Amino acid sequence: MAIINDHFLKLQAGYLFPEINRRVNAFIQAHPEAAPRLIRCGIGDVTEPLPQAAIEAMHEAVDDLATHERFHGYGPEQGYFWLREAIAKKAYQVHGIHVEVDEIFVSDGAKCDTGNILDIFGRGNRIAVPDPVYPVYVDTNVMAGNTGEAREDGSYEGLVYLPCTPENNFVPDLPQEHVDLIYLCFPNNPTGAVASRMELLKWVEYARANHAIILYDSAYEAFIQDPDVPRSIFEIPGARDCAIEFRSFSKQGGFTGVRCGYVVIPKELNGHDADGNKVPISRLWSRRTSTKFNGASYIVQRGAAALFTLEGMAQTDVLISHYLGNAALLLNACRQAGMRVWGGENAPYVWAACPDGLDSWGLFDKMLTEANVVITPGSGFGSKGEGFFRISAFNSRENVEEVCRRIHALFAQ
Ligand SMILES: *Cc1c(COP(=O)(O)O)cnc(C)c1O
């Protein structure tokens, strides 16, 4: 008899995106004439073609594999030196942030990394997650057995939820209790919030005082426009011995279908064994990576490295500006319609309070049936997301302009 990991049975069945699809499909079945009008601003996937520099580099990489001289088989599990060096220099050192080549671990994406990192942590850690939250942090902890059962509102026993609300500008306050692992994500998905240097400093000081580790997801770093907003947790003094950073080329370079990301683990970062002895986290992650991963593909890593060339950076800027231009239009349209809005300035997401006393799914249904626009209900990201919704700026300009007109028609009096 094969016994399963029964922690999986605690996972909530009605996961957000399947439920969105179910409602959209039911609506289209009932109103087939509305199908061509439907605009999806729901799932956070990019829409625009890849930067040309990445395309050319990947074509060349394919040609390399066609020759004996430039053939590449298995590469280093931690990633090719030339990509790790480009990341260290262009993503960190030019900004004055201390990150070294051998502290970077290239992967096939940040979703996998933020889930897989739990492999190297033991049982019994107190784990803090923001609410609302990127669901991956929660579900991977459920699978790993770090939680109890689900409650009525979809939250889990055993996790420490950090409320993110208009009162704290969606940057969580320090917990009253001790925690060991803390997930933070800035610029945030789903709220689009960013944290200031002072706010991150408070978290770093808390983590150091509690021997806790911050798991810092900065998948949306490329969207930061404001020079005062920290781009990395490692800009914060003291972060090198209490934080891991996750980054991705998915949103920066449109690589959601190409798959490449990386983890940064400073050499000074330690966890503790059961006897309280320090153990370097990077040693464990390196061992895990060598055992369970055979590296991101050569072709993909060539494409990622090309994003750091002069042309690649210029093309990436164009891509980011396109999405941020969309975000600005959506932010303005919601504001004009009388809604309270957040995000959308250093992030590709606009977060809005549902108008007219609607709850998140009520607003979702209204937008779907009356405006034929798909948004993401805030309650799908956690109980503190109830009463809010997320609009994604990942779309064509044409679609965004049409969505803005429909929001105006639906809500502006
Ligand atoms: C999109 C996203 C990622 C990136 O995931 P990939 O697996 O690299 O595509 C990571 N974290 C958050 C919060 C995201 O929204």
Side-chain angles (χ1 to χ4, degrees), residues 7-50:
H7 298 304
F8 276 60
L9 305 179
K10 297 175 194 161
L11 291 165
Q12 297 291 82
Y15 180 64
L16 177 61
F17 293 107
E19 177 61 16
I20 290 177
N21 284 334
R22 195 190 64 74
R23 292 193 189 211
V24 171
N25 291 338
F27 172 69
I28 288 175
Q29 292 233 300
H31 304 275
E33 72 290 350
R37 256 177 63 83
L38 200 71
I39 301 179
R40 293 175 192 271
C41 301
I43 296 179
D45 195 359
V46 297
T47 57
E48 302 306 295
L50 296 183

Side-chain angles (χ1 to χ4, degrees), residues 12-27 40-43 135 152-154 351-371 373-390 410-411:
Q12 297 291 82
Y15 180 64
L16 177 61
F17 293 107
E19 177 61 16
I20 290 177
N21 284 334
R22 195 190 64 74
R23 292 193 189 211
V24 171
N25 291 338
F27 172 69
R40 293 175 192 271
C41 301
I43 296 179
E152 192 79 359
D153 66 357
W351 184 250
C354 301
D356 306 338
L358 291 166
D359 67 6
S360 294
W361 281 109
L363 185 282
F364 174 91
D365 288 335
K366 185 178 172 73
M367 289 282 274
L368 174 63
T369 58
E370 295 175 37
V373 172
V374 182
I375 53 83
T376 318
S379 57
F381 298 104
S383 63
K384 290 287 184 291
E386 181 56 271
F388 298 89
F389 68 100
R390 187 191 78 176
L410 193 55
F411 294 107

Side-chain angles (χ1 to χ4, degrees), residues 206-250:
Y206 172 92
R208 298 186 73 185
N210 284 273
H211 300 289
I213 291 181
I214 296 172
L215 303 173
Y216 194 79
D217 185 341
S218 66
Y220 296 94
E221 170 270 339
F223 290 85
I224 295 174
Q225 302 297 302
D226 185 338
D228 292 334
V229 170
R231 313 184 76 86
S232 165
I233 190 69
F234 300 122
E235 282 181 44
I236 309 302
R240 282 181 57 88
D241 51 24
C242 69
I244 297 174
E245 183 157 288
F246 301 91
R247 284 203 185 175
S248 170
F249 296 103
S250 284

